[in-house]
Amino acid sequence: MVNGFLSDPVHQGRGLHQGDPISPMLFNLAFDPLLHTVLADPLFHGFSLHKHLGSFPLVSPAPLKVLGYADDALFLLSSPTDFHQLQKSLLVYSRASNAKVNFHQTEAISLSGASQADWQDLLRSADITAWHDYRSLSAVHYLGYPLASTASQLNAFLDGLLVKIEVACDIHPQWGLSVQGRSTVVNTLVLSKLWHVLRVTPIPKNYHQKIRSIITKFLMHKMFPPIKYDILTLPKFIGGLRILDSRLQQQAMQIRWLSSFFYTFFFFIFSLLFFVLLYNFQFKLY
């Protein structure tokens, strides 16, 4: 399929068919040695959190060196030494696997958002010219999430997300769907573009209002008078269409992510109180 049209048949002499489920497994087996090489390198230090937050001591987790998912890899560098060690690992991996790193498509981002000329010069020497900091107009995208340094970069990402939703809504009215059909399209095809982002990226209230406006306009196409969005989100047996509310979905997804943290925290507090009460009770008995 090329630009929406079927091409002439292509004879496949080797390799896997497109979409073969074993393909990502084989790729992981081939890509995994590079990740383990970086993780096991004692000269590659990666990114470490500070051990103190002001005067409050913290237990620092293990240094974070690399994040990998499919063919996307994110390496965290703390010094030029890390970069040189990474270059050595990439060179060995390229010779062993016959894979080549496209440095022209590699993007670098400052975690602090600061503009660091020494890092830019070092990366430019390796043909890595894409640099992002607080001055950049857009944020770096990793696995669909924005790595934004400023509010304007996050807003630019969210504006692009709104455009995708508007385009999806503009396509489907051509099908002549009923209101029930449009509600199904909204929940399954349109709003599904948001759920992946909402798991991590918080969206301001004004963007939720814009999403509501776009969805309401799509659902009320050629209908008068329009129905409020709050009514559209109600269950069907009381007159609604059961449209998913992006704001409530965001809260539910973030609460689900935080629940494991709060569960561990409260379990620790309750355990501590239990032992304190048990100790005091034993002390009074004696």
Side-chain angles (χ1 to χ4, degrees), residues 76-127:
L76 292 98
L77 313 176
S78 60
S79 67
T81 303
D82 285 351
F83 181 67
H84 296 316
Q85 290 300 118
L86 177 60
Q87 285 182 305
K88 294 179 181 179
S89 299
L90 291 175
L91 179 60
V92 173
Y93 176 75
S94 297
R95 291 177 177 176
S97 63
N98 200 29
K100 296 182 180 180
V101 180
N102 192 343
F103 290 103
H104 294 287
Q105 294 185 358
T106 301
E107 296 180 302
I109 179 175
S110 172
L111 291 181
S112 64
S115 177
Q116 304 178 16
D118 52 346
W119 271 108
Q120 295 185 52
D121 294 337
L122 177 62
L123 297 175
R124 195 178 295 111
S125 64
D127 294 331

